Structures are given as C-alpha cells and as structure tokens.
Amino acid sequence: MQNPEVWSFSEPQPSFNVQRIGAAQLSLKQVEKFHFNHLVSVVLPDSFKLPDQFANVLVNDCEYYKILDLNLAALLGSKFRQNFIKKGKLILLSIGTRIDCDNCCAITSTGSLILSLTKDSYQRFGLDGKTMPKFRDVRSLKTLSLKSVGSLVVHMTPTIISKFRHSKDPEKIMGSLQRSIDRLNETLVAYVPYYLHETMAVEVLEAVKVLIEKKRKTCYYNYSMSHFLTEMNVLVSLTEVVLNHRLRNIDFSRWPKIMRYVLYKNLGKMSGLEVLNLGSCTGGWRTSEFDKYILDGIRIMRNLRSICLCFDCSDLVIQTVSENCPFIQSIDVTSSGCVTDRSIPCLLNCKQLKELQLHRTSVSVSGLAKLISGLPRLQNIGKCDEFRHIIVYIYQSEINCGPFELRNIQTRDLSTESLRLLVEMFPKVEYISLFHDMQVADLSVLVSLVRLRELKLLSCAFYGDSLKQLLEIAGRNFTHIHLEHVEEMDFNVLGVIGNYCPKLKSLVFYNCDLRSALVANNRILEPLQAHPFYNLERIFWVVDSSTSYLEFILSHAVNIRYIHLGSSSGITHSSMVNILRINPMKHLEELRVLYSSDMNMRTVELLLASCTSLKVLSELESWQGISIEELNSFRHQIKSSNFDLDISPTLSFSSC
C-alpha cells in the first residue's frame, strides 16, 4: 500500500516571470551584485545588433588560471594583497562548489574578499559578520495534532446545532445535547494519551473561546433571538467536553465569564485535580448556588495540592479543604472577608501547608501568629501588612518564638527593632519585600539573613537607611534586587551593586531618585571589578534619568536576556550605538522600549545584526523615528520571510 502522505503531494506550481526593457536600460550592475556566478546568459530577441556595452565585454581578453588546493590563508598575506589587489587587478572565484551547501570564496574586481560559509565553518572560524536571521520553528506533529482536536470540536458544532434547531421541547434539547457532549468527552478520553490531556484541554477551550466570541458578533437586530440563544447554549456547553478526572491543573480566571459558569457547575467531574485556581468567582457577590458547586467539587478532590479562591472564600470552604484534601500545600484566599479566626483550627490541621495567602481577610493578628507558629512547613504567607504586630505578639506571648520556616516575607513599616526580631525568628528568609512609609530603619540588620537572595525595597533612602552597607556585606548572595521610589541614588550606586552583587540576575529600578549631579563626571568612587553585572539577565528600568546610568549597566551586562525600558528612560539611537559597540548583547531575547525620541529602522537593523538571539522587539509604535509605512513594511517582511521575531505591541508592564 502506498503511503498517502507521499503519493498525494501535488506538484509545485511553476513560476515564470517576463520583463520587457529597452536596450538603453541594459546594465551589468545587476549582474555584478552576484559575486559567485560562473555563467551569465543573455537573450536578445528581435535584435539584429548587439548592444555596444555587451560587445565591449565580449571582445575584451583576459588571462584565466585554474589553481588547485589554494589555501585561503594565502589570500590574506601582505605580499598577495600588495601585488595582486593594490597594484594589480584580480578576480577570483571558487569552482566546483554550490553556494547553497558548500563553502564559497570570491574576490571582486574592487578588491573585496567575500565568503559564503556553511554554519559549521562560520562558527569554527569565529568570524563576526552578518548572520542569517532565525526562522520560526516548524510546529511538532504533537502540537499540530492537539490543535486539530480543538478544530474537531469546533467543526462538530453545526452538526449538534442542526439537531436542535427545529425542536421545541427544552428538556429533549438539553438531554440530547448532554448526550452529545458526553460521547465527545468519552472519545477524547479514549483516543488522547493521558499525559497530553491537560494540553489538549487548553487547546479545546481556546477554540471554544474563539468560537463564542465569533458567534457574539453575528447577533444582529434581524437575527432570530431564539436561534441565537440555542446556538450560544450549545457553544458554551462545549466547555464540558474536556472536564473529567484526567485533568490535573485548571485556571478558571483564564476563561471568559460565560465559560466559567460551566466550569463551576462541573467541578464535580474534575476529581483528579491537583492545582485549582477558581479566580475571583463572583467577585464578592456570593450565592448559595456557587457555594454548593465549590463545596461539592472540593469534597472529591483527594489529590488537591493547591487552591486559589479570592473574594468568595469562607470558613466553610476552608473547613471542607481541611477535611477532604490531606495533601494541600497552598491556599490563596486573598480579599475574602468571610474568612475569619474560625478557620484557624482547620488550617492548623493542614500540616503540609507551605503557602497561605490571607491578605485582606478577617483573620486577626493573633490568628496569624498561631498559624506561623503552628504550621511547621509554612514558608510563605504572602503580603502581610500586620507583620510587625505579629512579630511583637509572638515575642511577648508564651507561644513558640521560633526559629520558624518562613522563606518569603512581604510587609511594611518595620523599625530597626522589628527587623532585629525578624532576623532572630525567621533566619531562613530568602525573599523579603519592605515598604517604608515614615520609618527610618537600619537595613544593615538584614546581613544576618545568610539565605537572603531576593530583596525588594520601596520608599527608602540608599545611604540613610544603610542599604549601601547591606549590599557591601551581604550583596554577594543576592540574585534579585528591586528598588522602587528609593532616594539618595547617584552614579556610585551602580558601582556598589556591580561590585558587591556578582550573582545578580535581575535588577529593577522603578521611579527612583537618580541624582544628576555626578552624572556629568560619570564618576565611580571605588574601582570596579573586572566584570560588573556579568550575570545580569533581566533589567526593568522605569526611571527619569540621564542615559549614562543605563549605558553603564548595559555596556557591562554581557549576558543580558530581557530589557524593559520605560517611557522616560531617554534611550536614543546614539545610546544604543554606544552600548552595542561595547556589548553586542548576543544573548538578548526580549527588548521592550516604551518610548524613544529618535530610535528608527536603523536602530532595528543594528539590533538584529548584533543581538542574534533576539525574539521579541516590542513597542516599535512608540519609536518616533519609525513611520507607520516603515512599520507595516517590516511586519510584512517578518511574515513573508517567517522570521522568528515578535514585534506585537503590549503596552503593559510585565511582572518583575
């Protein structure tokens, strides 16, 4: 039997282009651009006389030599260049090679050496030249197959709708619809491998989402409302086709509200869930119907490890999770006012808990203190503005005073004494986020946290709050630094961070007060290490300051991968030239510049030529040097050439 994927291929369509020009338009300049041509054929129909410019070329005589085993290094010798290139005239061309798959060499009449090399030869020579742009990878057969499942579900919709269009019995319609959905669900379970079911579910839900949005736009004033509602009901019901015990992870907040109701209603079918994000549910407008769906669903989720229910969680939900989910490790009930101290005993029974988000709930300071001291594996309590009071409560009460296992602390308004208590009680902290309002604290106290890796500070003073001393002593362990609304920042700050934070991978400057007095001198008060910012991979820069700061960092960050520059960064084309002249940023994958006064297509070409790993170049619409016509032409070039480059705008601040 013949393979249908082989014999069914149609032959490629031939392409033949004819252009009529006059003799006066004939020119050899176009031919001279192709340096590796051995033969040029010219056809002159209806011509009785050869044009003079061609006749002169044909009658000219020249010497021709064929040299075997010529070493390329010989062409770079000083004697060869002096005698053959500068004084003489030489045209050299490789023979017996194909430009598409072999190494080719040419010396033009102007004395230029041109090499066309294979990838292996190019890398082995270590040349620094113009590389071919990267193309989008061909999607794998697995990806195409999973997407086709979504298309299959969508294409079955008209068949299902046609069965109900003329029926007037609602119960019969719903019964038949449910049977169709169940059969389709069983088919997917039977034919899709279990380890691909989760990915397949996302593809199907995405296809249903697109179909619903498309259907919404077809509702016109003259369209039958009964037919529209019937069709929309069928489309929304397609959400159920992937809901079964095989699902391990689902995020309700990802899907539109019209689909979420179906998801809530069918929670009982997803007994195998391990990660459940219910989103904000009704946004605080709790109803008994939704409570029943949630409680009935959670009761059968024995393998649940993570649950998120913002706004609508209650003490009863916490109790249900505690009684039915023995492996629960993460609970997020942010902004759920109905969660009170009555949930404390239930939460204390969840001995596997590592993460507990209770921000803006009705749990008291004493309740939070009991949870911190009573849960042996608790590592993250999320944002907690009352943390200062919790520390004092634990210290003054007779309950366990630690040390505790917390790794993540996000709080505000800690005095120096509170910081000392924090260091004593929570010595294993790896991430700390502090917001200072009116307090002035000695941040150097944090040097005792030997595991501290990520530091986020909001509204403090670099010198006044001893941040400089903290970085000098403990900065060698920091991998992430986030400075927001930090004052007393000058050019020397970059030297401190570059010198004392050699492992730094992520740096965020957001609305910091960068002084301009020292920028004119670009003066670092202490000698720099050999490779400052060597390991820096991400920079998020939203600061109104001189470009000297930014140029200094990016010129040294040879391993940078992600750059986000705010609208007030002041970056220009000349700044980018200065940076790339020192650091070509070969590892850069994503660049977002929200505004530039003069960056243009020359800047884009410079970036593409230098940053060979670039995949995202966003917000070009805000570059004042690029016109709409140039941008549209660039988009067309990317699409037609299948370049692996995303220039779609986002105009949003990604998570830091």
Side-chain angles (χ1 to χ4, degrees):
M1 178 178 177
Q2 288 182 303
N3 189 338
E5 294 186 358
V6 176
W7 67 265
S8 64
F9 277 135
S10 58
E11 61 181 13
Q13 295 295 326
S15 177
F16 186 73
N17 185 24
V18 178
Q19 184 178 5
R20 184 180 297 275
I21 61 176
Q25 296 176 281
L26 291 175
S27 174
L28 294 177
K29 291 183 178 180
Q30 296 297 325
V31 178
E32 292 174 352
K33 291 182 179 180
F34 301 95
H35 307 292
F36 297 99
N37 283 340
H38 284 267
L39 175 67
V40 177
S41 299
V42 180
V43 180
L44 303 173
D46 301 329
S47 298
F48 299 98
K49 182 181 178 182
L50 192 67
D52 294 338
Q53 53 182 328
F54 281 96
N56 295 334
V57 172
L58 295 176
V59 298
N60 288 338
D61 194 10
C62 62
E63 295 181 354
Y64 174 82
Y65 296 93
K66 181 178 180 181
I67 304 176
L68 301 178
D69 299 328
L70 175 63
N71 193 330
L72 189 61
L75 305 180
L76 304 178
S78 58
K79 292 184 179 180
F80 177 83
R81 289 186 284 109
Q82 185 68 25
N83 296 327
F84 290 92
I85 304 300
K86 294 183 178 180
K87 294 182 179 181
K89 187 174 183 181
L90 172 69
I91 298 177
L92 184 145
L93 190 61
S94 299
I95 59 174
T97 57
R98 293 174 296 177
I99 192 173
D100 57 341
C101 57
D102 296 322
N103 294 318
C104 300
C105 170
I107 295 181
T108 66
S109 58
T110 59
S112 299
L113 174 64
I114 299 176
L115 302 177
S116 177
L117 305 176
T118 63
K119 181 179 179 181
D120 293 338
S121 299
Y122 181 87
Q123 294 176 344
R124 187 167 61 251
F125 286 0
L127 297 175
D128 185 14
K130 185 176 180 181
T131 60
M132 293 293 292
K134 294 184 178 180
F135 298 96
R136 295 186 186 274
D137 294 332
V138 178
R139 291 179 178 177
S140 65
L141 182 60
K142 181 181 73 173
T143 302
L144 294 174
S145 300
L146 292 174
K147 282 190 172 294
S148 66
V149 175
S151 302
L152 171 66
V153 173
V154 169
H155 282 88
M156 292 184 65
T157 306
T159 305
I160 300 176
I161 292 176
S162 63
K163 298 179 181 179
F164 315 132
R165 181 164 292 175
H166 304 291
S167 178
K168 297 182 179 180
D169 187 353
E171 294 184 1
K172 184 178 180 180
I173 292 177
M174 295 307 299
S176 179
L177 175 60
Q178 191 60 50
R179 287 191 295 272
S180 300
I181 297 295
D182 292 341
R183 282 196 298 269
L184 188 53
N185 191 317
E186 293 171 0
T187 302
L188 296 181
V189 170
Y191 289 95
V192 177
Y194 72 93
Y195 58 89
L196 295 177
H197 191 86
E198 191 170 307
T199 308
M200 179 271 296
V202 174
E203 295 292 345
V204 171
L205 292 178
E206 284 286 355
V208 173
K209 174 184 173 182
V210 173
L211 189 61
I212 291 175
E213 292 298 326
K214 184 178 179 181
K215 190 61 186 177
R216 278 177 171 174
K217 298 177 182 179
T218 62
C219 183
Y220 302 106
Y221 68 94
N222 59 346
Y223 196 84
S224 174
M225 184 55 64
S226 60
H227 287 171
F228 174 78
L229 293 177
T230 300
E231 294 174 5
M232 186 61 74
N233 187 32
V234 172
L235 299 184
V236 174
S237 298
L238 290 176
T239 306
E240 298 183 38
V241 300
V242 294
L243 305 182
N244 51 58
H245 65 281
R246 284 193 171 185
L247 272 180
R248 296 292 181 265
N249 186 337
I250 190 167
D251 183 359
F252 284 21
S253 62
R254 182 174 178 177
W255 312 111
K257 291 183 178 180
I258 195 172
M259 295 174 63
R260 282 187 223 171
Y261 177 77
V262 179
L263 295 175
Y264 284 115
K265 186 178 178 181
N266 290 273
L267 270 173
K269 296 181 179 180
M270 296 176 272
S271 58
L273 280 179
E274 296 179 1
V275 179
L276 173 60
N277 185 350
L278 294 168
S280 59
C281 198
T282 63
W285 299 89
R286 292 177 54 229
T287 63
S288 58
E289 182 183 19
F290 276 91
D291 285 350
K292 183 179 183 302
Y293 293 150
I294 294 173
L295 294 174
D296 291 345
I298 292 175
R299 287 191 181 101
I300 62 172
M301 297 178 184
R302 303 293 298 176
N303 298 320
L304 193 65
R305 285 171 168 76
S306 175
I307 183 172
C308 174
L309 177 57
C310 301
F311 294 99
D312 282 357
C313 191
S314 63
D315 293 333
L316 183 57
V317 174
I318 296 291
Q319 179 183 348
T320 305
V321 172
S322 173
E323 294 174 351
N324 298 278
C325 306
F327 305 109
I328 193 71
Q329 297 179 5
S330 175
I331 297 177
D332 183 359
V333 292
T334 301
S335 300
S336 297
C338 293
V339 176
T340 67
D341 283 356
R342 295 178 181 177
S343 298
I344 301 301
C346 299
L347 291 172
L348 290 174
N349 289 331
C350 302
K351 298 301 182 180
Q352 304 292 328
L353 265 183
K354 294 182 179 180
E355 181 177 359
L356 181 59
Q357 306 272 356
L358 295 172
H359 184 55
R360 291 183 178 175
T361 61
S362 299
V363 179
S364 64
V365 170
S366 60
L368 291 171
K370 292 177 182 178
L371 291 172
I372 292 175
S373 60
L375 293 173
R377 299 190 179 186
L378 189 62
Q379 298 181 4
N380 184 4
I381 60 170
K383 187 176 181 181
C384 182
D385 294 337
E386 301 83 12
F387 199 77
R388 175 165 59 98
H389 304 291
I390 295 173
I391 295 175
V392 174
Y393 181 89
I394 294 176
Y395 182 74
Q396 294 178 349
S397 64
E398 297 180 356
I399 62 177
N400 179 20
C401 291
F404 303 111
E405 296 293 322
L406 277 188
R407 304 288 201 276
N408 186 309
I409 294 178
Q410 303 177 50
T411 186
R412 59 183 298 163
D413 300 337
L414 292 183
S415 62
T416 303
E417 184 60 30
S418 299
L419 287 176
R420 290 194 177 96
L421 292 176
L422 183 150
V423 170
E424 293 176 4
M425 296 180 182
F426 309 99
K428 298 181 180 180
V429 169
E430 298 176 357
Y431 170 90
I432 189 167
S433 173
L434 298 178
F435 174 77
H436 283 267
D437 190 4
M438 300 299 293
Q439 297 281 347
V440 177
D442 183 4
L443 295 175
S444 63
V445 175
L446 299 177
V447 298
S448 300
L449 297 175
V450 295
R451 297 190 181 185
L452 187 60
R453 299 292 182 269
E454 301 183 34
L455 179 66
K456 181 176 181 180
L457 298 175
L458 298 87
S459 186
C460 68
F462 188 82
Y463 296 102
D465 290 327
S466 302
L467 177 56
K468 179 177 182 291
Q469 287 80 357
L470 173 62
L471 295 178
E472 289 176 343
I473 300 173
R476 64 184 180 277
N477 296 323
F478 291 172
T479 59
H480 295 71
I481 294 179
H482 181 125
L483 302 181
E484 186 170 339
H485 295 285
V486 176
E487 300 177 347
E488 301 178 2
M489 301 277 284
D490 54 29
F491 209 85
N492 191 52
V493 171
L494 303 185
V496 173
I497 297 176
N499 274 347
Y500 297 102
C501 305
K503 298 179 182 179
L504 189 65
K505 292 185 177 181
S506 175
L507 178 64
V508 177
F509 275 23
Y510 188 87
N511 285 347
C512 293
D513 181 20
L514 290 177
R515 299 175 179 177
S516 58
L518 296 178
V519 174
N521 300 324
N522 288 354
R523 187 161 57 95
I524 302 294
L525 300 182
E526 52 187 290
L528 288 172
Q529 291 183 353
H531 301 289
F533 301 106
Y534 181 81
N535 292 307
L536 188 65
E537 296 180 356
R538 296 174 60 89
I539 183 169
F540 191 92
W541 187 272
V542 184
V543 181
D544 185 5
S545 66
S546 169
T547 56
S548 300
Y549 289 96
L550 190 58
E551 289 184 23
F552 175 80
I553 296 176
L554 295 181
S555 296
H556 290 87
V558 295
N559 290 306
I560 195 72
R561 296 180 182 275
Y562 173 91
I563 300 175
H564 183 113
L565 305 181
S567 57
S568 58
S569 64
I571 190 74
T572 62
H573 175 77
S574 60
S575 300
M576 196 61 69
V577 171
N578 295 336
I579 294 169
L580 294 176
R581 184 183 294 117
I582 302 173
N583 176 20
M585 298 193 288
K586 296 294 185 181
H587 302 287
L588 183 64
E589 298 177 1
E590 188 169 339
L591 174 63
R592 300 180 185 274
V593 182
L594 297 190
Y595 178 82
S596 176
S597 60
D598 70 342
M599 287 173 67
N600 48 51
M601 289 306 300
R602 289 189 298 121
T603 314
V604 173
E605 294 172 359
L606 181 65
L607 288 167
L608 294 179
S610 180
C611 309
T612 54
S613 300
L614 193 63
K615 294 183 179 180
V616 177
L617 184 59
S618 186
E619 317 308 338
L620 296 181
E621 294 79 4
S622 301
W623 295 15
Q624 299 303 299
I626 299 180
S627 64
I628 297 178
E629 292 76 14
E630 289 176 326
L631 188 57
N632 291 334
S633 176
F634 187 44
R635 288 196 184 102
H636 176 72
Q637 180 185 0
I638 293 174
K639 184 176 180 179
S640 60
S641 302
N642 195 34
F643 291 158
D644 188 12
L645 182 66
D646 182 8
I647 62 170
S648 57
T650 57
L651 291 179
S652 61
F653 292 90
S654 60
S655 175
C656 300

